[in-house]
Amino acid sequence: MSDRRNTHSFLRQASGDRSFRDMIDCRDIEARTTAVTDGGQQDAREHWKLIIAGTGIAGLTAAIYAGRANNDPLVIEGDEPGGQLTLTTDVANYPGFPDGISGPELVNNMKEQAKRFGAELKNGVIAGIDDSSHPFHIEMTNGDVYTADAIIAASGASARTLGIPGEDELMGYGLSTCATCDGAFFRGEDMLIVGGGDAAMEEATFLTKFADTVYIAHRRDEFRAEQYWIDRVYEQVENGDIEIMKNTELIEIHGSQEEGVDRVTLVHNEQGHPTDRIADPETEEFEFDVGAVFFAIGHTPNTEYLEGTGAEIDDEGYLKIKGGDGGDQTETAVPGIFGAGDIVDYYYQQAVTAAGMGSKAALDADKYLEGQDQIADMDTLETMNN
């Protein structure tokens, strides 16, 4: 911050009166209500120094840090306000809550904390970003348009689900998309993992710490996971902790929010993909008793609104950031756009790691915005001297 103060001190001396300082003070106020279109006409678009996409743990942590840095961020809720944590009834591994806290309560507390420090939250979904000029233009799905000097993309990744009966009612009540988060709540129960990739194998192995027996249901005869994880799973099969149900699919979850999951309906066909062969006489439908169900069929990063920008997206749809050591770890390929949370993190996907990334993104954005302020101050001084 000292460089910024020294720059402003020099500029005040160079200007010789208060007119320059007055111009600097009102610049943000004028920019908040007007922007200039390519045709040179002013348009009533709201301008913000910083816009944060997403109100999950990463986005809200970024909002808290950005607010404390006097960057007064606008936080866009997105189509999944609060992120995946709102689907978790009990969060027992977030530091500072020895008795645990519900996911929605933690999110709401963080929203209030962000507001306390000057963040403004708005409902809405970002349709796209134009990064061809500065400030960035952010178009919403309802037609509203904002401009921003910097953007933090923290819109998360949506866990894939099956769309089967019982899914909506029991999500967070015995059905989960995060074994690491929720497995311990079902100690001693039989548990079902749905999936056949690395995540399914890893989470099944993890759940053996708590479950009576872990069952893996996979719709094909072969797993897609790396051989390392397959070997780990079969070690647990030999120990009697895991049972594998190949060529089997889940079609319904039974239970209640009061009592949780009590059983599921599965279908099996030796040729695989049994839901595609429901009419086949060889397809067997049966009920199976379990006390918890975990989906491990992947995530879809919410990066659609970044398409068409210079931000780089990997083959799985995750936003690429600089990473590494030192500062600016959350920078993307576009100066002024930063990434944090599950939109970037395909591996850890924990609330506490998302919070850490959110704080990094806010600090990186603040450094960027200070640099932009200094450039703007120098440009204004040059204009005045001319």
Side-chain angles (χ1 to χ4, degrees), residues 57-316:
I57 298 299
L60 291 173
T61 303
I64 291 166
Y65 272 72
R68 283 172 57 84
N70 293 325
N71 286 323
D72 299 332
L74 172 64
V75 189
I76 305 298
E77 292 266 13
D79 55 6
E80 294 182 14
Q84 293 186 55
L85 209 61
T86 58
L87 302 177
T88 303
T89 53
D90 292 293
V91 180
N93 58 357
Y94 197 87
F97 300 94
D99 297 323
I101 185 171
S102 76
E105 184 180 2
L106 178 59
V107 168
N108 288 335
N109 288 348
M110 293 183 71
K111 286 182 178 181
E112 293 305 313
Q113 191 174 1
K115 292 176 184 177
R116 174 190 168 197
F117 291 117
E120 182 172 336
L121 278 65
K122 285 193 177 182
N123 291 321
V125 178
I126 298 177
I129 296 173
D130 181 359
D131 66 344
S132 62
S133 61
H134 203 266
F136 303 113
H137 284 223
I138 298 95
E139 184 171 352
M140 308 296 291
T141 55
N142 66 357
D144 290 346
V145 177
Y146 303 111
T147 61
D149 296 321
I151 297 169
I152 294 176
S155 43
S158 301
R160 295 174 188 151
T161 57
L162 297 174
I164 59 175
E167 183 178 289
D168 291 340
E169 296 83 356
L170 294 171
M171 183 65 74
Y173 297 92
L175 171 62
S176 171
T177 58
C178 181
T180 307
C181 309
D182 300 329
F185 295 118
F186 305 101
R187 192 179 300 271
E189 297 278 4
D190 287 336
M191 305 183 193
L192 177 70
I193 282 273
V194 178
D198 288 346
M201 302 296 104
E202 184 176 3
E203 294 201 347
T205 303
F206 173 81
L207 287 174
T208 59
K209 299 177 182 180
F210 312 108
D212 184 359
T213 304
V214 176
Y215 297 88
I216 301 175
H218 184 45
R219 61 184 177 177
R220 299 191 300 174
D221 188 54
E222 296 182 356
F223 293 124
R224 296 176 290 103
E226 293 180 0
Q227 192 61 45
Y228 168 81
W229 283 114
I230 294 175
D231 291 343
R232 290 280 302 275
V233 164
Y234 275 99
E235 289 175 6
Q236 299 295 333
V237 170
E238 292 178 3
N239 293 335
D241 295 325
I242 292 178
E243 292 189 20
I244 297 172
M245 308 167 76
K246 293 183 177 179
N247 302 317
T248 301
E249 289 185 83
L250 174 66
I251 62 171
E252 187 170 359
I253 306 170
H254 306 274
S256 67
Q257 293 186 356
E258 293 75 23
E259 300 295 331
V261 171
D262 59 50
R263 69 189 192 284
V264 296
T265 303
L266 302 168
V267 288
H268 172 82
N269 186 296
E270 282 298 325
Q271 298 182 61
H273 296 272
T275 56
D276 294 337
R277 297 181 168 89
I278 291 294
D280 187 336
E282 298 298 319
T283 298
E284 175 192 5
E285 178 178 319
F286 60 99
E287 293 196 351
F288 196 76
D289 291 342
V290 293
V293 178
F294 295 88
F295 289 162
I297 52 179
H299 291 76
T300 302
N302 300 316
T303 54
E304 297 90 345
Y305 62 95
L306 293 169
E307 295 176 2
T309 70
E312 296 180 1
I313 308 295
D314 71 13
D315 292 340
E316 299 298 321

